[in-house]
Amino acid sequence: MPYSSEHLTRLVQDDHTGEVVDLENRLAGRALLGMDRAFEELVRRTLTAWTRAYGGPNQPAAPGDVLRRIVAATRAAAVRLLDDLARRAPAVLADGLGPALVMGVRQGSEFVRAASGRGRREPRVPSVSRVLLAEARRVRDMVAERRDRALFLLHPDRVSRWSHMLAGLGAARAVLPAVRAHIAWVINTAVHQGLDVVVRATAPLRVWVSEADACVRCLAYTGRTAPPGEPFPGGLSWDPRQRRARAAGVDGPPLHAHCRCRAVPWSDAWKTSGTPFPEALRREAERSIGYGVGRPSESRAVRLRAARELLRAVDDLLPAVEARARAALRTGRFPAAA
């Protein structure tokens, strides 16, 4: 039965990506275990102590025993929270590696069935590699590094204002998004190891599928194919300023922190009822660039440079995409979607 590119895109970008995000969130919840609220409470308690001692957050501290006691209590609480995280997070992440590998094999097999129209036996799930286990353990070092940075800032000799206390607490709290990002990176890497097993067992190629709101770097890869074991080109981006001409090849996604692109099994022999899947992906990436569909972390300038490059490099753009890109360059902003 011929495949539909629209169906394959929904399968990868919506169903499969959603499953991975759910796994990431479950692991992050177990690892962080309410630490956002714990840090909020620590900030509140510290501000209360500061206000009682000095009259308010805008009042400077007087050197002496009171300041030393406030700083010491804050340091002890931050160390307790972060040391608990350092003990808990590696084991939680390691526990998630097996399910991520299973998920990658299952999702790859589901994609092959949908694309080829034929049922296939799922390959054997690989064992958790030493590399993945090492990445799980690395969370401990990440937490320790940020704990030491926070303690450096939270020292009586460096604290004379509430803003100094807040900077130290912020340095400690910054470990939370870092741990979330690392969990996402490692879990996506494990999922891709499972996907690669399916690629090697069922298909001569793998095709890069970006997220629906991917960055300009990932969009430069979407729709590209590479044989198993061979890298994708390195240093690609729709923004010329982000390109790296001599960059090493890329084994596959994830390309960066929080990247949820996929490299799924592919064969050009699979039959379609419409536009071939890799071509449909490239067209969708062009539409994303032309319409300025981006994520908050990307500036308007990046997207405008990407739109200019799109008009320069692609001579068969869809009329609506070309019109949107030209309007954006003329006005300096992307029109709102209809």
Side-chain angles (χ1 to χ4, degrees):
M1 180 178 178
Y3 70 81
S4 160
S5 291
E6 182 179 355
H7 171 66
L8 295 184
T9 301
R10 287 198 306 270
L11 179 64
V12 179
Q13 291 183 339
D14 296 340
D15 300 345
H16 288 173
T17 299
E19 291 175 353
V20 178
V21 172
D22 287 345
L23 177 58
E24 293 172 18
N25 289 339
R26 289 196 302 272
L27 295 172
R30 288 173 53 199
L32 298 177
L33 207 61
M35 289 193 65
D36 281 305
R37 292 190 300 274
F39 269 105
E40 288 174 3
E41 176 62 19
L42 176 57
V43 171
R44 187 192 65 77
R45 292 201 315 267
T46 306
L47 177 57
T48 298
W50 189 279
T51 300
R52 287 174 177 169
Y54 307 114
N58 296 324
Q59 301 303 314
D65 290 342
V66 173
L67 177 61
R68 283 192 291 271
R69 285 197 298 271
I70 293 174
V71 173
T74 303
R75 285 167 60 96
V79 167
R80 184 169 60 254
L81 288 172
L82 296 182
D83 284 355
D84 285 347
L85 176 60
R87 285 190 292 269
R88 185 171 59 248
V92 169
L93 182 49
D95 285 346
L97 297 178
L101 288 166
V102 171
M103 183 179 292
V105 171
R106 177 179 56 77
Q107 289 183 349
S109 299
E110 287 177 358
F111 182 87
V112 170
R113 285 194 294 271
S116 68
R118 298 190 300 273
R120 294 175 181 267
R121 185 176 181 179
E122 287 189 7
R124 183 178 178 181
V125 176
S127 301
V128 176
S129 68
R130 292 181 180 179
V131 173
L132 285 175
L133 288 172
E135 285 297 317
R137 289 192 292 267
R138 198 161 67 85
V139 175
R140 185 179 295 109
D141 295 334
M142 292 173 52
V143 175
E145 178 183 347
R146 286 161 175 78
R147 178 203 61 202
D148 293 346
R149 172 61 179 167
L151 293 180
F152 174 82
L153 295 172
L154 290 171
H155 190 280
D157 293 344
R158 298 183 183 87
V159 174
S160 60
R161 293 185 173 277
W162 168 246
S163 60
H164 301 158
M165 291 289 291
L166 204 56
L169 288 168
R173 194 172 184 174
V175 76
L176 306 188
V179 168
R180 289 191 184 95
H182 190 69
I183 288 173
W185 172 270
V186 175
I187 291 303
N188 276 272
T189 300
V191 169
H192 275 92
Q193 288 190 9
L195 280 171
D196 283 344
V197 170
V198 181
V199 173
R200 294 175 186 276
T202 62
L205 297 169
R206 52 199 178 120
V207 60
W208 192 299
V209 185
S210 66
E211 299 174 81
D213 61 344
C215 67
V216 296
R217 292 174 60 204
C218 290
L219 288 172
Y221 284 92
T222 193
R224 288 182 175 265
T225 59
E230 293 187 17
F232 293 89
L236 300 184
S237 177
W238 275 109
D239 177 7
R241 294 190 185 180
Q242 295 184 20
R243 288 177 183 162
R244 301 292 181 267
R246 297 181 181 179
V250 176
D251 290 336
L255 190 61
H256 53 77
H258 297 297
C259 174
R260 296 192 180 97
C261 294
R262 295 282 173 267
V264 299
W266 188 249
S267 172
D268 290 330
W270 293 337
K271 295 181 180 180
T272 178
S273 57
T275 305
F277 187 51
E279 177 61 24
L281 292 172
R282 287 192 289 269
R283 288 296 186 182
E284 182 62 21
E286 292 168 2
R287 189 200 68 80
S288 180
I289 294 295
Y291 278 56
V293 180
R295 47 184 54 193
S297 59
E298 283 189 311
S299 69
R300 182 189 300 175
V302 166
R303 283 286 171 164
L304 288 172
R305 289 195 298 268
R308 182 178 292 108
E309 180 64 11
L310 178 72
L311 292 171
R312 185 197 69 79
V314 181
D315 57 9
D316 61 343
L317 289 173
L318 295 175
V321 173
E322 181 176 355
R324 285 289 187 121
R326 292 194 183 282
L329 293 176
R330 185 172 63 253
T331 62
R333 61 183 179 85
F334 289 95

